[in-house]
């Protein structure tokens, strides 16, 4: 005769077996997940590490080629290096957009284009005259390309420290386009609407006004920096520039509100001292 304890154990075992049988698919899936997840995680982690290492290596290669270009003094060799560098930059952007290598390649290209816009002549070898700037260069297109690269960095690497810095550089560059072309670059500057065209839609879609001037475009970029990267060290500089643009547009109340915000949120920042002086 079975004891009550044995009957209880038998009933419990039966119930457990029944639960397992009824839900065997679930238990099989969970078991496979326990086995497969660490394997998948290891594979993904390894692939990501390899990608980051490869991207870092590519960034070094581009940086090294750029350094060679900067050091070269022979005009013909420098031209050849520039062609190699341009190709390498584009290949890096195509392959590594969203990684440091892609962002660094874009920044190097903006530096090259800005040097061309500034009229940097090719260094001359001993006893030779410096080569004049290439006549076929369209400097208006170069200016829009600079803006396109800066704003692309902000979109492709939104969580990096490069993103707010690139937005700031884009805005400052756009503001300075008129003086840049007046002082350095030959020809007419790009029209504001052409500059606005190369800016990603997500950075300008909620502007609330037409981007009819360089100041309008810069204002949108400064505001987007403050909105997307409120903790960035570049926010105070963006705010002071927003206030200055509002003043230039004779919207003094809006400018005062910006300066008041700087006093509240960045009381010890040097840009806030400038803002206080502008309010006086």
């Amino acid at each position: 005769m079975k004891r009550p304890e044995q009957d209880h154990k038998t009933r419990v075992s039966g119930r457990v077996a029944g639960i397992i049988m009824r839900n065997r698919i679930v238990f099989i899936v969970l078991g496979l997940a326990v086995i497969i997840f660490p394997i998948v995680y290891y594979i993904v982690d390894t692939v990501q590490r390899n990608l980051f290492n490869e991207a870092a290596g590519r960034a070094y290669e581009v940086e090294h080629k750029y350094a060679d270009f900067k050091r070269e003094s022979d005009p013909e060799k420098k031209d050849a290096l520039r062609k190699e560098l341009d190709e390498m930059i584009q290949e890096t952007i195509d392959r590594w957009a969203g990684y440091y290598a892609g962002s660094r390649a874009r920044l190097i290209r903006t530096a090259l284009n800005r040097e061309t816009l500034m009229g940097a002549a090719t260094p001359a070898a001993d006893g030779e005259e410096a080569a004049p700037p290439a006549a076929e260069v369209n400097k208006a297109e170069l200016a829009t390309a600079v803006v396109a690269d800066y704003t692309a960095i902000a979109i492709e690497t939104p969580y990096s420290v490069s993103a707010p810095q690139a937005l700031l550089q884009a805005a400052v560059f756009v503001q300075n386009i008129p003086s840049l072309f007046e002082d350095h670059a030959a020809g007419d500057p790009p029209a504001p609407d052409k500059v606005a065209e190369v800016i990603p839609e997500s950075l300008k879609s909620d502007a609330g006004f037409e981007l009819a001037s360089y100041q309008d475009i810069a204002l949108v970029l400064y505001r987007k920096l403050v909105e997307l990267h409120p903790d960035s060290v570049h926010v105070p500089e963006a705010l002071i520039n927003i206030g200055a643009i509002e003043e230039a547009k004779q919207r003094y109340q809006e400018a005062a509100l910006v300066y008041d915000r700087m006093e509240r949120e960045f009381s010890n920042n040097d840009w806030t001292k400038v803002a206080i002086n502008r309010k006086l």
Side-chain angles (χ1 to χ4, degrees):
M1 182 176 179
K2 293 183 179 179
R3 289 181 297 177
E5 294 84 356
Q6 291 178 322
D7 290 340
H8 177 70
K9 291 180 179 179
T10 301
R11 287 195 299 271
V12 171
S13 299
R15 288 174 183 174
V16 171
I19 291 172
I20 293 174
M21 288 302 296
R22 287 194 301 272
N23 299 280
R24 59 185 180 277
I25 301 300
V26 175
F27 284 106
I28 291 172
V29 171
L30 289 174
L32 290 174
V34 170
I35 296 171
I36 294 173
F37 178 78
I39 298 173
V40 172
Y41 177 83
Y42 173 78
I43 294 172
V44 171
D45 183 64
T46 301
V47 170
Q48 284 291 335
R49 287 176 182 273
N50 289 339
L51 285 173
F52 277 113
N53 289 337
E54 189 177 345
R58 182 63 171 186
Y60 173 80
E61 291 174 3
V62 175
E63 201 77 54
H64 186 70
K65 182 67 70 174
Y66 180 49
D68 288 344
F69 170 79
K70 296 283 286 184
R71 285 193 299 266
E72 184 57 61
S73 59
D74 181 86
E76 291 186 6
K77 292 181 180 179
K78 195 173 186 73
D79 286 343
L81 279 171
R82 175 61 189 268
K83 291 178 182 178
E84 292 178 21
L85 183 57
D86 286 340
E87 292 177 1
M88 179 179 286
I89 286 172
Q90 190 57 56
E91 290 172 0
T92 303
I93 292 171
D94 292 341
R95 176 68 179 86
W96 299 110
Y99 290 84
Y100 171 74
S103 295
R104 185 59 193 147
R106 286 192 184 277
L107 285 174
I108 289 174
R109 187 161 67 183
T110 62
L112 291 167
N113 287 338
R114 293 184 70 156
E115 287 172 9
T116 302
L117 285 169
M118 293 292 290
T122 303
D126 292 340
E128 296 182 2
E129 293 184 1
E136 66 274 9
V137 172
N138 187 323
K139 292 190 175 183
E141 290 183 359
L142 285 185
T144 56
V146 169
V147 178
D149 275 329
Y150 278 142
T151 53
I153 292 170
I155 295 299
E156 292 170 355
T157 56
Y159 304 110
S160 70
V161 294
S162 299
Q165 182 180 10
L167 282 174
L168 180 67
Q169 290 173 313
V172 171
F173 179 81
V174 170
Q175 269 191 286
N176 291 326
I177 284 178
S179 60
L180 173 65
F181 274 76
E182 182 179 345
D183 297 339
H184 300 285
D188 296 324
D193 63 314
K194 295 297 182 183
V195 176
E197 283 178 4
V198 303
I199 297 174
E201 193 64 28
S202 62
L203 295 178
K204 61 184 179 182
S205 59
D206 57 352
F209 53 87
E210 183 182 357
L211 304 185
S213 69
Y214 300 118
Q215 281 190 334
D216 291 335
I217 298 170
L219 182 60
V220 166
L221 294 174
Y222 286 132
R223 286 178 174 174
K224 191 58 69 171
L225 189 163
V226 175
E227 173 194 337
L228 297 178
H229 308 282
D231 298 323
S232 170
V233 296
H234 301 295
V235 168
E237 185 175 356
L239 287 172
I240 192 69
N241 288 332
I242 290 172
I245 292 174
E246 296 289 15
E247 285 189 64
K249 290 178 173 292
Q250 298 184 342
R251 298 196 291 245
Y252 301 114
Q253 186 174 358
E254 287 83 350
L257 291 174
V258 173
Y259 299 149
D260 287 342
R261 175 181 176 179
M262 293 181 69
E263 286 189 75
R264 290 194 310 272
E265 300 180 13
F266 306 99
S267 57
N268 296 321
N269 191 277
D270 288 341
W271 287 112
T272 302
K273 298 175 184 177
V274 177
I276 293 172
N277 290 331
R278 295 187 73 95
K279 286 177 63 178
L280 299 178

